[in-house]
Amino acid sequence: MRKWKALGVVFVLVLALVAAGCTQKETATGTATPTSTGIVQKNEEGKYEITIYTGSGPGSVYFAIGSMLAKVINKKSDLIAAKAVTSGASVANAKAIAKGEAQVAIIQNDVTWYAWEGKYQFEGNPIKVLRGIGTLYPEPVQIVVRADSDIKTLQDLAGKKVVVGAAGSGCAATAERILKAAGVWDKIEPVYQTFEEAAQSLVLGQVDAEFTVIAYPAPAIDQIAVKVPVRLIPVPDDVIKKLHDQGYPFYVKVIIPAGTYKGMTEDTQTVAVKSTLVVHKDLPDEVVYEITKILYENIDELAKAHQVAKQIDMKHAFEGLMVPLHPGAIKYYEDHGITVPDELKPKE
């Protein structure tokens, strides 16, 4: 009798271990638990903790907008605790989403496409976990020189030291494309610096020009202009055509008006991409819905960080969007009477 009782106890223990093993397996594959969903954790207050990757520092519009978004989320939301951090900008931000280091990020729309397709910096490693909330505002390419510089055209950059952006950034990728289209990429000395480092280098005369891909007026360029007057180098029609012919349809022609910066006396033609707010696909729908809601309902608050936020409009959120929307964002748009195109709905 004791033998059968002992066997019964062992049998029960085995069943318990098997059940525990099954439960652990479900959690490991991303099944929601009371405190996490795999990609995001909850804090002691029961709020989802998200990290927003922004830009390279205080001179970056991404940093300004992303930091203010985190601040407003923390102020307005009972669901989310947000933290904004500096980063290497677009390319680094996409990779951070892929690794799960960030749940939310601001990325140039061209870089989101390259990440999705596995092109250029993402060759062989497409990032299919990207989902969009929407595009935010246009970001012109601004090629800055001192107003007293003899550099007037892209061709004049040959033989010069040119800051192309932070290493691994979308700015650096764009600068390389434009300079290749202009036929001078192999003739310059590329320098990889953040906006703040580039501003100091240009003021001190350590470099001859700098590329930025940023909304205007840009604090990073104002930092230069208050010390030394500046000009912008134009991107002509033939270079824009080459970019389109080479498979870069994202670039649109824009005019930055005279007087935007101290020393800028003429309108300057250039090209622009669009900033995009993206999230990881596994972020819970309710979290993304809340982020989308706070984004569009607090434009005035975001504009306190940078006036470019006034250009954010849900009616234009799909313009230039190169990745599928997150279901949480789709629900917000549909709740507000906006029809989401089928091509922007995730296929999974």
Side-chain angles (χ1 to χ4, degrees):
M1 188 68 170
R2 289 178 181 177
K3 178 181 178 181
W4 288 110
K5 285 184 178 180
L7 287 173
V9 171
V10 171
F11 182 68
V12 170
L13 287 174
V14 169
L15 286 177
L17 287 171
V18 170
C22 290
T23 301
Q24 289 174 352
K25 183 177 181 181
E26 288 177 357
T27 300
T29 56
T31 300
T33 71
T35 58
S36 75
T37 62
I39 192 64
V40 64
Q41 305 292 322
K42 283 186 176 181
N43 62 18
E44 293 179 354
E45 298 177 350
K47 291 185 176 182
Y48 289 102
E49 294 183 318
I50 64 169
T51 298
I52 303 173
Y53 268 44
T54 62
S56 58
S60 161
V61 178
Y62 281 14
F63 179 80
I65 298 296
S67 297
M68 182 59 79
L69 178 60
K71 182 178 180 180
V72 176
I73 288 172
N74 290 330
K75 180 180 178 181
K76 303 280 187 177
S77 178
D78 294 326
L79 180 68
I80 307 168
K83 175 180 68 175
V85 299
T86 59
S87 71
S90 291
V91 173
N93 289 1
K95 292 179 178 179
I97 292 283
K99 295 175 183 177
E101 296 170 351
Q103 292 78 42
V104 184
I106 306 175
I107 306 178
Q108 289 173 203
N109 67 334
D110 56 336
V111 175
T112 65
W113 174 251
Y114 300 138
W116 184 264
E117 294 293 326
K119 296 178 180 291
Y120 304 103
Q121 297 98 326
F122 308 95
E123 187 71 38
N125 295 292
I127 300 177
K128 297 295 188 179
V129 295
L130 291 175
R131 295 293 182 271
I133 283 182
T135 55
L136 303 177
Y137 50 82
E139 297 181 276
V141 175
Q142 300 180 61
I143 309 166
V144 188
V145 298
R146 296 169 62 125
D148 59 1
S149 170
D150 60 356
I151 300 171
K152 307 292 184 182
T153 69
L154 290 173
Q155 282 67 37
D156 292 338
L157 292 172
K160 306 295 186 182
K161 289 184 178 180
V162 182
V163 176
V164 294
S169 69
C171 179
T174 297
E176 181 175 347
R177 284 182 218 116
I178 289 174
L179 291 171
K180 282 182 175 179
V184 293
W185 172 250
D186 294 331
K187 301 175 184 178
I188 69 156
E189 181 180 338
V191 179
Y192 296 90
Q193 293 182 337
T194 65
F195 292 151
E196 290 73 29
E197 293 168 340
Q200 183 177 10
S201 296
L202 195 61
V203 168
L204 295 176
Q206 296 170 341
V207 298
D208 301 294
E210 71 154 311
F211 273 74
T212 62
V213 180
I214 193 170
Y216 69 87
I221 299 176
D222 279 329
Q223 291 173 17
I224 305 169
V226 296
K227 297 177 182 178
V228 295
V230 299
R231 286 186 291 104
L232 300 182
I233 302 303
V235 178
D237 288 340
D238 63 319
V239 171
I240 297 174
K241 184 178 185 303
K242 284 183 181 179
L243 289 169
H244 292 169
D245 291 345
Q246 291 170 3
Y248 306 118
F250 324 101
Y251 298 118
V252 296
K253 186 190 303 185
V254 296
I255 303 294
I256 300 178
T260 297
Y261 305 109
K262 181 181 178 182
M264 185 178 168
T265 59
E266 297 180 353
D267 292 351
T268 304
Q269 175 179 295
T270 185
V271 292
V273 292
K274 292 200 75 174
S275 62
T276 306
L277 188 62
V278 301
V279 296
H280 193 287
K281 76 176 183 66
D282 292 337
L283 207 55
D285 292 1
E286 61 178 336
V287 173
V288 178
Y289 187 98
E290 181 97 331
I291 295 170
T292 310
K293 179 177 185 290
I294 289 173
L295 170 71
Y296 290 123
E297 294 183 6
N298 293 276
I299 298 299
D300 289 343
E301 285 292 310
L302 297 178
K304 292 178 181 178
H306 196 289
Q307 65 187 31
V308 72
K310 294 179 181 178
Q311 299 179 39
I312 299 172
D313 187 339
M314 74 171 74
K315 294 179 181 178
H316 302 289
F318 308 151
E319 295 174 1
L321 187 60
M322 297 295 167
V323 295
L325 285 163
H326 190 284
I330 291 174
K331 185 177 188 307
Y332 181 84
Y333 291 123
E334 291 179 342
D335 283 353
H336 289 77
I338 296 177
T339 301
V340 176
D342 288 340
E343 61 267 24
L344 291 181
K345 295 178 180 179
K347 302 299 187 287
E348 298 178 7

